[in-house]
Amino acid sequence: MSVQPHTGPLLLQTFWSRLLSIVDQQAAALIRTSFTPAVSECGDLSACVFDARGYMLAQAVTGTPGHINSMARAVAHLLEVHPVETLGSGDVLITNDPWLTSGHHYDITIVTPVFHHGMLVAFFGSICHTADFGGRPYGPDGIDAYEEGLEIPPMLLFKGGEPNTELFGIIKANVRSPEQVIGDLYAQVAGNAVGAERLIQFMDQVGLEEILPLADDLIERSERGMRAAIQALPDGAYKYETEADGFDEPIRLAICIRIEGDRLMADYAGTSVQVKQAINVVMNYTEAYTTFGIKCALAPDVPNNEGSFRAVTVEAPTGSILNCIRPAPVAARHLMGHFLPGLVLGALAPVLEDRAMAEGAAALWSTNVHGTGIDGARFSLLSFLTGGTGARSRLDGLSSTAFPSGVSGMPVEVFENRSPLVVLQRELRTGSGGAGTHRGGLGYRTSYAGLRMHESYRLAPFTDRLRTPAPGLNGGMAGAPGEFLVDGNPVDGKQTILLAPHQEVTLATPGGGGFGRPFDRDLEAVREDMMDGLVSADQAREVYGVAFGPTNEVDVDETSRLRANIVGQ
């Protein structure tokens, strides 16, 4: 019988460091064994550890806030249906109910209880975006949740180590890529098992019978850290709103952040109502990206866990696009959900000082292509495209970055290997970053065609900011809007389309907004941008008021004249 050691600072720090290492190993095992490129190449997943009460303690570096913070609530929902006292060693829970987890059917949540000497001590969980989950092919144009895929309520995927063969059979019979889908489910189970094994090893090494005392310390410290960060801001109500493209008409997204002492409430009253297309967001996902934005703004160094959530309340009107009612279609919920950290940062900008940030591309673009190749084999491939982030009060925005998501774009080699499509172009969009004292990040342009096919295929695009570019902040200018073209002609950015093999698809992602007045930008920074192809010489002259000589040196006299004219206008 091991002896419970004193829960002191040294053990707590060791526990925290080991948890981070364990969840990273959990994620690595999942990525290595995953069958889906969206997971194995782009990192569209999360891996987390929870205590025996279902409180989230830590998560892997790899992952997205929409998964991580949603899973913090999803575990509680799973345990309502399958209470702790009903679980045993070898059990594994599963659900993809959008309203209980991360907002659409393609994200599968798998949670494994961990037992040590017969006692439940923890849970390991993961969420992955799977290749297919039935219904209509993944796209933004579904009309209700029923046609968007097979829904699994909270169930046992394994019982006592034995697979639920009936559930596996139902899944196999309802998906287009059963090998990939079933393979990914086993990859998630394997990743959880790696996490469980490493945690038990740590407990045995230090003589722990349970982790609840350490979990309580960790959660309490995180809560204190978040409350201190909130209390450092002046009490008050801070408002911000922005506009997204939507479908038939623009979507209004509004937030009011109220700070009272060490508590913060984010309220989305005034936001547009839910729509008939699949860009609606469930409350779990709204809360996930709101709490992420708050943490980025106020307490990036505080561990993201149960404690950091306790000082924050998130509300959105029932029936709004950020708190939709079943059976609203939700497949493309990220197009709206990814705007939320920008709203948080925009609202708090007056009191953030050096942490303020302009809006970025926000909506992570993606495309789902599916069809039949020359060899007769069916293919389905989801890939991500990244735009520019907003400039910060002291730094330029990041180019081609998926913020606020944690995923990455798909390498050309993988894209061409996993589909019969050929990439014709991929490059940064010169001038797409919003001008400012600090420049917004750039988007990029990519083109491809189905040159290795002999029949048509379908493409479902997930885009926004084609009509409503990312605004600048404090005098900064908007980033460039995105473009979606087929053979050079604009097409609907949220409608599944049929394409002939020779047709060229071009997607140009949006740029981030600038921060501060462009004519206050450092002259050498403008020259370096021009030399690097990030801005054109014309843009440098007309927007930044910077002229260059015959060898691309800054023409100081002409620049002074240009900037004086801009200030005088």
Side-chain angles (χ1 to χ4, degrees):
M1 185 77 174
S2 58
V3 178
Q4 187 81 3
H6 175 65
T7 306
L10 180 59
L11 180 58
L12 182 63
Q13 182 59 50
T14 304
F15 176 64
W16 172 241
S17 299
R18 187 64 70 89
L19 283 185
L20 294 179
S21 172
I22 288 169
V23 290
D24 281 344
Q25 292 176 67
Q26 174 195 2
L30 170 52
I31 290 170
R32 285 197 303 268
T33 55
S34 173
F35 285 64
T36 303
V39 176
S40 61
E41 300 292 340
C42 303
D44 193 8
L45 72 136
S46 65
C48 305
V49 60
F50 305 78
D51 68 20
R53 299 163 296 193
Y55 293 165
M56 191 174 79
L57 301 179
Q59 66 279 163
V61 173
T62 300
T64 76
H67 286 172
I68 292 166
N69 290 0
S70 292
M71 191 155 50
R73 300 293 174 249
V75 171
H77 292 308
L78 283 166
L79 294 181
E80 286 178 7
V81 180
H82 297 277
V84 168
E85 58 271 18
T86 68
L87 300 174
S89 179
D91 290 353
V92 178
L93 300 171
I94 182 173
T95 186
N96 71 334
D97 182 331
W99 278 262
L100 301 184
T101 58
S102 66
H104 68 182
H105 292 93
Y106 279 72
D107 283 346
I108 313 301
T109 300
I110 292 182
V111 175
T112 304
V114 182
F115 290 83
H116 184 235
H117 297 151
M119 181 172 69
L120 178 66
V121 294
F123 294 91
F124 279 87
S126 65
I127 297 179
C128 284
H129 186 113
T130 193
D132 179 79
F133 223 68
R136 66 184 296 150
Y138 183 43
D141 41 9
I143 63 169
D144 61 38
Y146 298 115
E147 71 173 29
E148 289 185 329
L150 178 67
E151 183 168 311
I152 301 174
M155 296 183 68
L156 284 165
L157 184 66
F158 284 79
K159 179 65 176 176
E162 295 297 321
N164 183 340
T165 55
E166 291 183 348
L167 178 56
F168 274 107
I170 291 171
I171 295 171
K172 287 180 182 179
N174 282 276
V175 301
R176 297 172 181 84
S177 306
E179 296 84 4
Q180 287 190 54
V181 173
I182 299 301
D184 278 352
L185 297 181
Y186 274 96
Q188 288 184 253
V189 173
N192 290 356
V194 168
E197 181 182 2
R198 300 293 187 270
L199 178 63
I200 295 302
Q201 287 175 352
F202 168 73
M203 294 177 68
D204 287 341
Q205 287 170 359
V206 299
L208 285 175
E209 284 295 318
E210 61 175 359
I211 64 170
L212 283 182
L214 290 168
D216 283 339
D217 277 358
L218 179 60
I219 290 168
E220 181 185 350
R221 287 170 182 249
S222 297
E223 182 176 356
R224 288 203 309 266
M226 179 58 77
R227 290 188 183 277
I230 294 170
Q231 197 159 26
L233 299 180
D235 284 1
Y238 304 93
K239 297 181 179 181
Y240 188 81
E241 64 179 66
T242 195
E243 196 172 86
D245 290 354
F247 272 82
D248 302 326
E249 58 186 28
I251 299 296
R252 179 173 181 254
L253 299 171
I255 190 172
C256 178
I257 294 179
R258 294 184 178 87
I259 295 176
E260 297 178 0
D262 63 356
R263 289 201 56 79
L264 183 152
M265 186 182 80
D267 186 355
Y268 289 100
T271 289
S272 295
V273 299
Q274 68 184 59
V275 296
K276 61 183 180 181
Q277 298 91 358
I279 57 174
N280 299 295
V281 187
V282 305
M283 193 61 206
N284 257 19
Y285 200 76
T286 292
E287 186 175 13
Y289 269 107
T290 303
T291 53
F292 171 72
I294 291 167
K295 190 173 181 307
C296 285
L298 303 184
D301 296 330
V302 171
N304 185 60
N305 60 33
E306 172 68 23
S308 62
F309 301 144
R310 288 179 174 175
V312 176
T313 302
V314 182
E315 297 181 356
T318 301
S320 71
I321 200 166
L322 297 180
N323 186 8
C324 64
I325 304 170
R326 292 180 191 268
V330 290
R333 87 288 191 239
H334 67 282
L335 291 182
M336 296 299 103
H338 286 183
F339 276 83
L340 303 187
L343 265 72
V344 170
L345 290 162
L348 294 176
V351 291
L352 286 181
E353 299 178 353
D354 61 339
R355 291 168 289 171
M357 180 177 177
E359 287 190 58
L364 174 70
W365 285 21
S366 57
T367 60
N368 187 37
V369 291
H370 53 96
T372 304
I374 293 176
D375 59 0
R378 289 190 58 81
F379 71 94
S380 178
L381 182 65
L382 175 68
S383 62
F384 301 108
L385 299 92
T386 54
T389 73
R392 293 151 287 178
S393 58
R394 295 187 180 182
L395 293 168
D396 291 342
L398 302 174
S399 297
S400 185
T401 300
F403 181 86
S405 173
V407 305
S408 59
M410 184 173 292
V412 170
E413 296 82 359
V414 175
F415 184 84
E416 293 186 337
N417 181 261
R418 299 298 292 264
S419 76
L421 306 176
V422 175
V423 176
L424 308 174
Q425 172 194 37
R426 183 176 285 190
E427 63 182 7
L428 288 175
R429 298 177 66 195
T430 298
S432 58
T437 306
H438 298 289
R439 171 186 44 73
L442 278 63
Y444 77 94
R445 178 180 289 103
T446 187
S447 300
Y448 55 80
L451 300 181
R452 294 184 292 160
M453 302 178 66
H454 59 71
E455 62 180 53
S456 298
Y457 65 101
R458 293 187 181 276
L459 182 150
F462 297 77
T463 71
D464 208 279
R465 291 212 187 279
L466 297 176
R467 301 188 299 269
T468 55
L473 196 61
N474 286 14
M477 298 180 69
E483 297 177 350
F484 179 40
L485 313 171
V486 175
D487 291 337
N489 301 309
V491 293
D492 189 336
K494 294 188 182 76
Q495 186 71 44
T496 301
I497 55 177
L498 184 66
L499 294 167
H502 65 274
Q503 289 185 285
E504 183 175 331
V505 175
T506 300
L507 298 113
T509 59
F515 192 103
R517 302 180 302 180
F519 52 83
D520 288 335
R521 185 165 175 77
D522 178 74
L523 300 182
E524 184 59 25
V526 177
R527 192 187 79 86
E528 289 179 0
D529 280 355
M530 190 272 293
M531 295 296 291
D532 291 339
L534 305 183
V535 302
S536 66
D538 287 344
Q539 186 183 24
R541 182 182 182 90
E542 295 169 8
V543 179
Y544 289 100
V546 179
F548 302 102
T551 58
N552 291 324
E553 76 282 4
V554 174
D555 185 330
V556 177
D557 292 338
E558 179 65 3
T559 294
S560 296
R561 185 188 70 79
L562 289 171
R563 289 196 161 184
N565 287 341
I566 293 173
V567 172
Q569 291 176 359

